[in-house]
Amino acid sequence: SWATVDLDYFESKVRDTDNVILSWGTSSETMNLAFKLLVSRDGHNYTEAVSVAGFGTTTEPQSYQYTYENALPGRTYFKLIQVSENLRSTELEKLYVVIGRDDVSIIIAPNPVYSHMSIDTGYPLTTQIRVFNTAGQMVKTVAPQYAQSIPMGDLPRGLYLVVTEYGTKKIQVTK
């Protein structure tokens, strides 16, 4: 027999500026072991935030809630996964929330870049900074703690895209 969940809703609400209350409910569940709530800063790379026990098999409506604390500024993505008693996973729903401003300003200086550049978003960077050439190839990754002075002198002259968790900016490297 198949594990199924009739999901009625999956909702989010921001509380106290950086806590996200995630709520979901079902109208029935069959062989439902658990729900996994996954979180991502970019909408592509997810990690598990929590696993919440399901009700097995029931025709009674069920409600669930989880508070994701200390969400970072910008977008945070959530994915709800149902895990059956036979350990099969099914993606049910996705959503995202915005903490603070969605249009965080990215300042890269200087532009054009000669040897080093610095990135300022007004918020702490928590993921790697990636630099792509115009062919779409990633040519450099930099840990966020080095965002104040990123060496660019090793790259040939040209246009590059600098990608952070808060957005993308076009720069020119000159020599």
Side-chain angles (χ1 to χ4, degrees):
S1 65
W2 293 96
T4 59
V5 168
D6 291 321
L7 185 69
D8 287 335
Y9 62 90
F10 180 41
E11 303 170 340
S12 64
K13 183 169 51 175
V14 177
R15 186 184 70 203
D16 302 329
T17 69
D18 65 350
N19 293 329
V20 180
I21 301 169
L22 296 149
S23 305
W24 64 98
T26 62
S27 55
S28 69
E29 300 177 19
T30 304
M31 295 177 55
N32 183 29
L33 178 65
F35 292 97
K36 286 186 180 181
L37 196 58
L38 308 182
V39 64
S40 170
R41 290 292 294 160
D42 63 9
H44 300 288
N45 302 301
Y46 286 84
T47 58
E48 185 175 329
V50 69
S51 181
V52 177
F55 278 87
T57 299
T58 181
T59 56
E60 297 292 318
Q62 303 298 326
S63 297
Y64 301 87
Q65 188 173 47
Y66 173 73
T67 301
Y68 182 78
E69 297 178 343
N70 303 314
L72 295 170
R75 287 187 186 201
T76 301
Y77 298 82
F78 295 96
K79 191 185 287 189
L80 185 63
I81 306 290
Q82 184 262 330
V83 181
S84 69
E85 290 175 355
N86 59 7
L87 303 182
R88 291 183 190 222
S89 296
T90 305
E91 181 179 319
L92 297 177
E93 193 75 47
K94 292 184 205 177
L95 60 78
Y96 72 87
V97 297
V98 177
I99 304 293
R101 295 178 48 188
D102 194 22
D103 59 344
V104 174
S105 178
I106 302 169
I107 299 169
I108 297 179
N111 192 3
V113 173
Y114 298 98
S115 62
H116 286 77
M117 72 173 177
S118 64
I119 298 177
D120 183 14
T121 63
Y123 292 107
L125 292 167
T126 62
T127 61
Q128 284 193 332
I129 299 151
R130 298 171 294 158
V131 180
F132 294 87
N133 64 19
T134 54
Q137 299 165 315
M138 186 167 51
V139 294
K140 185 178 283 281
T141 60
V142 181
Q145 63 265 31
Y146 300 111
Q148 295 306 311
S149 182
I150 300 171
M152 299 294 285
D154 57 331
L155 296 177
R157 291 176 58 131
L159 294 176
Y160 295 88
L161 293 177
V162 178
V163 179
T164 72
E165 63 201 87
Y166 298 116
T168 302
K169 198 81 161 190
K170 188 185 302 181
I171 62 160
Q172 181 176 356
V173 173
T174 61
K175 304 253 179 178

